[in-house]
Amino acid sequence: MQNFSIGLSGLNAASGALEVIGNNIANASTDGYHRQRVELTPTTYGKMAQNAVGAGVDIAGVTRLIDKLLESEIMQQGSTYAQISQELSILTAVETTFGEFAEGSGLNATIDAFFDSLRGLAAHPLERVWRNDVISSAEVMCSEFRRMGASLSNLEDQVVLEAKNTGESINSLTQQIAELNGKIQVIEISQGQANNLRDHRDQLIVELAKLASVETTQREYGIVDVSIGGLPVVTGAITVQIQVGLRDDGSLGVSAGNSSGYNLTVQGGRLGGLMTLKNESLQGIATDLDNLAKAIVASVNQIHVQGLGVNGSFTELSGGTLDASSLVATDAGVADGTFYIRVTNTATGEIDRYAIDVNASGAPPDTAQTIAAKINAIPGLNASIVSSRLHIVADLGSKFDFLPAVVPEPTAATFTAASPPTVTLSGIYRGEQNDTVTFTVAGAGSVGNGNLRLDVTDGNGDLVSTVNIGSGYAAGDVIELLNGIQISVSTGDLNAGDSFQTQGLATSDTSGFLAAAGMNTFFSGNSADKMQLVDGIAATPDRIATAYGADLTDNVAALRLAAVRDQGLDSLTGMTPSEYYHRIVANIGQQVDLRESRQSNVEAMIQNLENRRSEISDVNINDEAAQLMIFEKMFQAVAKYLSTLQSVMNTLMDMV
């Protein structure tokens, strides 16, 4: 009967092999399927007449043809490719948003147009048409900043939404992987093989790796544990769900289950790309754009608050919103320093300048309320905080401004002669920093006679100029010093050592408070998406500050505003606005180029790895057809063998 057992084992082996071949052919186009091969071994030897003989064939198992190291490398490279592709997609959209593809287009063109309009206004400071041009170009520039800021903000919101959706997809995949782990374990514990289920499970892990970089651990009975960022999301048939959300600082993070705080950072895959975009790339670009907007706003406002337009000084002025408790909290560059207010008596023309000291870092520091109280103490002015805004109102017959122009009368004077002259000062100080300029009389006698002169010294006592007011000087003539201060001395007598002083203001606000408070500013907003022209300026173009001089006929303010374009600003790391913007655009282009290059390299690597995997694991229909013929012939031959045995047995039975 052993002969029949041999034949039956052959039929069973051929039938099993045909099933495996059929399974291979049926899954030839199935993603993630690995070709299977039946493993045949000779059955334990028996004995016949003291001779060892074979007892047939056994199916030892069905093997998946798989290179695990190769599969792991493909999975990791696929995760990297998914991250790069996600980053490239969003960064390409950012590059499109900036739109610097043609000369004269994009934000840079609007910045140039704005400063060009200021240069035109400087050439025609009293003409309305040039003021309207400044308003128009400023509004276009602000609109472009807001558009780009809003686009970046929308992209960040989209990234956050996509990250949350990706987290849900990860949870769905881990649940399926865990369920397949359970099924595979049940089958293989009972000495079965679940190759098709393993392929399905492994393909899900590959799909999971495209969403986030994973680490896998093989365990007995076909179980694979999966971790993401060190968090075990699949352990056997048990899963841990993840949640994606924003941390307190606005960055994107991941948490396990319902735990508080998103402290986990994920690398690789689509989620890793989205987190890199939100936490690094987009945030960096948005910060750079905000820095550019804030630098232009701060620089223009710092100049504008000190100047006046053709409308002249103010009788009433309101600023922007201030933090009631702290000046530093305005985040607008308020520091310890001093700002100056000029108050003019409209009836007499008398001008007085008052200094307001700002204590931003002391204990306790100044607040909006304390600054308002200091202003309120100035004769002719009333200041208060209304709806978190500084509001200044001049008394009837008074007006005020923040001009740095030299005041007409000396701030201090010592004259010992019986009939001293009248000293009249004017002009716009051109020094680099605020200073006290002292004029000391050398010689004695009447103005316009003898060797009478004025020695001009700075706050350090250094001689900076000498002014002849003796022989050759006509009393009342105006003399302009190199630092921009103008002086006129009437008839009168002076003694040696007589002196007088004036303030030379390079800026009428060293604290930055006026700009932070929005007093006579040109722009408002502290970010790109909030940048806009101040309503009062837009409605009244004559308020655009063009002059720093008391007679309002100069163009110094307009020239300084126009010069901002070509200044290296500290807040822009010493670059001009145009240079800083070009750096932003260049940085975006570099990021896009880098990812395109990396994407091409990884894609080529994956293709090479997949070609190698194809040689090992893919189903070749021609090879399977050849195997099919082999086992078909085997089945037919074994069947013939059994038929022959049956005939022999029948003959023997007939003989008996």
Side-chain angles (χ1 to χ4, degrees):
M1 296 299 291
Q2 185 170 323
N3 288 333
F4 281 99
S5 177
I6 292 172
L8 291 174
S9 71
L11 287 177
N12 183 57
S15 177
L18 290 173
E19 287 182 9
V20 171
I21 293 169
N23 186 48
N24 285 339
I25 295 172
N27 287 283
S29 298
T30 302
D31 288 338
Y33 180 79
H34 296 84
R35 180 163 55 93
Q36 298 178 24
R37 180 179 65 198
V38 65
E39 303 292 346
L40 302 178
T41 60
T43 303
T44 304
Y45 289 115
K47 285 186 178 181
M48 179 179 292
Q50 303 303 317
N51 295 313
V53 296
V57 62
D58 283 333
I59 297 177
V62 178
T63 302
R64 281 198 309 163
L65 299 180
I66 181 172
D67 185 328
K68 292 183 178 179
L69 290 177
L70 181 61
E71 296 289 335
S72 176
E73 184 63 21
I74 291 174
M75 182 178 68
Q76 294 302 324
Q77 293 301 327
S79 182
T80 300
Y81 183 82
Q83 176 173 353
I84 295 171
S85 298
Q86 181 65 68
E87 293 175 6
L88 180 60
S89 174
I90 298 297
L91 288 173
T92 301
V94 173
E95 189 176 45
T96 302
T97 296
F98 276 73
E100 296 293 324
F101 304 113
E103 188 71 24
S105 67
L107 178 61
N108 191 55
T110 68
I111 294 174
D112 284 342
F114 169 65
F115 286 110
D116 284 342
S117 69
L118 287 171
R119 195 175 298 278
L121 178 60
H124 309 86
L126 303 179
E127 297 183 25
R128 172 64 72 86
V129 63
W130 295 96
R131 292 177 177 273
N132 289 336
D133 187 42
V134 171
I135 296 297
S136 177
S137 61
E139 288 180 333
V140 170
M141 182 182 70
C142 289
S143 176
E144 188 67 6
F145 265 112
R146 291 196 302 271
R147 179 191 69 81
M148 296 177 67
S151 294
L152 288 175
S153 180
N154 290 338
L155 279 174
E156 288 193 56
D157 292 342
Q158 178 184 334
V159 164
V160 172
L161 178 60
E162 289 296 322
K164 291 181 178 179
N165 291 338
T166 301
E168 294 177 0
S169 298
I170 288 174
N171 290 334
S172 175
L173 285 173
T174 56
Q175 186 64 41
Q176 295 177 62
I177 292 168
E179 290 175 359
L180 286 170
N181 266 345
K183 293 178 180 179
I184 292 168
Q185 183 181 31
V186 169
I187 292 173
E188 300 200 359
I189 283 178
S190 59
Q191 303 304 312
Q193 287 180 299
N195 287 337
N196 280 14
L197 290 180
R198 283 190 179 216
D199 279 342
H200 187 192
R201 189 266 321 281
D202 291 350
Q203 181 61 22
L204 290 179
I205 294 176
V206 170
E207 294 302 317
L208 180 63
K210 294 178 181 178
L211 301 182
S213 181
V214 301
E215 302 85 39
T216 59
T217 303
Q218 302 281 340
R219 292 202 286 132
E220 60 181 347
Y221 303 121
I223 291 176
V224 174
D225 294 337
V226 181
S227 297
I228 295 177
L231 175 68
V233 292
V234 177
T235 305
I238 300 173
T239 63
V240 174
Q241 302 286 286
I242 67 168
Q243 284 188 334
V244 180
L246 294 176
R247 304 182 179 116
D248 292 339
D249 62 0
S251 62
L252 201 59
V254 176
S255 68
N258 296 320
S259 61
S260 60
Y262 299 96
N263 300 320
L264 183 65
T265 298
V266 173
Q267 300 292 331
R270 186 179 183 188
L271 182 57
L274 291 168
M275 292 185 71
T276 298
L277 286 165
K278 178 65 176 71
N279 300 345
E280 298 176 20
S281 302
L282 290 181
Q283 187 61 46
I285 294 169
T287 298
D288 285 344
L289 185 64
D290 286 343
N291 286 342
L292 177 60
K294 286 191 289 187
I296 293 175
V297 168
S299 298
V300 168
N301 283 348
Q302 185 65 24
I303 295 169
H304 194 274
V305 294
Q306 304 176 65
L308 288 175
V310 295
N311 276 0
S313 302
F314 309 104
T315 57
E316 183 176 2
L317 189 62
S318 288
T321 303
L322 280 170
D323 189 295
S325 61
S326 172
L327 295 179
V328 178
T330 60
D331 190 29
V334 180
D336 293 341
T338 303
F339 67 88
Y340 298 86
I341 301 180
R342 290 189 345 146
V343 180
T344 303
N345 185 314
T346 56
T348 64
E350 182 182 356
I351 298 174
D352 293 302
R353 172 175 281 149
Y354 299 90
I356 304 295
D357 293 325
V358 177
N359 174 17
S361 60
D366 275 322
T367 66
Q369 292 286 0
T370 62
I371 296 295
K374 292 178 182 181
I375 298 173
N376 198 55
I378 296 175
L381 296 184
N382 298 281
S384 59
I385 302 298
V386 180
S387 300
S388 298
R389 298 172 184 267
L390 177 60
H391 185 70
I392 304 176
V393 180
D395 291 345
L396 186 64
S398 296
K399 57 184 180 180
F400 66 95
D401 57 58
F402 312 104
L403 286 177
V406 177
V407 293
E409 296 182 0
T411 55
T414 302
F415 295 123
T416 60
S419 301
T422 299
V423 176
T424 303
L425 298 159
S426 60
I428 303 169
Y429 183 64
R430 291 196 291 264
E432 294 184 357
Q433 59 186 10
N434 293 354
D435 202 356
T436 298
V437 180
T438 302
F439 298 80
T440 305
V441 177
S446 299
V447 173
N449 297 290
N451 294 321
L452 200 63
R453 73 175 191 273
L454 295 175
D455 290 337
V456 186
T457 56
D458 60 19
N460 295 323
D462 296 329
L463 183 68
V464 295
S465 182
T466 299
V467 178
N468 174 40
I469 58 172
S471 180
Y473 173 74
D477 282 356
V478 176
I479 300 173
E480 182 172 353
L481 306 183
L482 293 177
N483 58 16
I485 295 177
Q486 297 174 351
I487 180 172
S488 172
V489 183
S490 70
T491 57
D493 298 327
L494 291 168
N495 292 328
D498 287 352
S499 66
F500 57 92
Q501 293 181 335
T502 190
Q503 287 178 319
L505 298 184
T507 173
S508 59
D509 183 10
T510 61
S511 67
F513 172 80
L514 293 175
M519 304 302 290
N520 192 33
T521 50
F522 189 86
F523 290 120
S524 65
N526 59 359
S527 62
D529 61 345
K530 291 182 174 61
M531 183 179 180
Q532 61 183 3
L533 193 59
V534 171
D535 291 340
I537 298 292
T540 313
D542 285 343
R543 273 191 54 187
I544 299 175
T546 52
Y548 270 9
D551 59 4
L552 307 182
T553 59
D554 65 278
N555 64 350
V556 172
L559 285 174
R560 292 187 182 183
L561 288 170
V564 169
R565 172 172 57 184
D566 302 317
Q567 291 176 356
L569 305 178
D570 291 340
S571 58
L572 300 182
T573 64
M575 288 184 278
T576 67
S578 181
E579 290 170 343
Y580 192 81
Y581 179 70
H582 284 140
R583 192 193 73 169
I584 296 175
V585 175
N587 179 53
I588 295 171
Q590 288 173 356
Q591 291 191 55
V592 170
D593 290 344
L594 175 62
R595 283 162 177 79
E596 285 179 341
S597 176
R598 290 184 61 198
Q599 185 185 52
S600 297
N601 292 338
V602 174
E603 189 173 18
M605 187 181 301
I606 291 174
Q607 185 61 53
N608 181 53
L609 292 171
E610 287 182 342
N611 289 339
R612 290 166 56 191
R613 180 177 66 179
S614 178
E615 296 173 0
I616 298 171
S617 302
D618 281 5
V619 175
N620 185 305
I621 297 297
N622 293 329
D623 290 345
E624 297 303 312
Q627 290 293 312
L628 186 65
M629 293 179 63
I630 291 173
F631 285 103
E632 179 186 13
K633 294 295 185 182
M634 174 182 172
F635 190 93
Q636 292 173 348
V638 172
K640 182 66 176 176
Y641 170 73
L642 288 173
S643 176
T644 301
L645 286 179
Q646 182 63 41
S647 297
V648 171
M649 184 61 67
N650 289 338
T651 300
L652 288 174
M653 293 301 294
D654 290 341
M655 292 174 63
V656 173

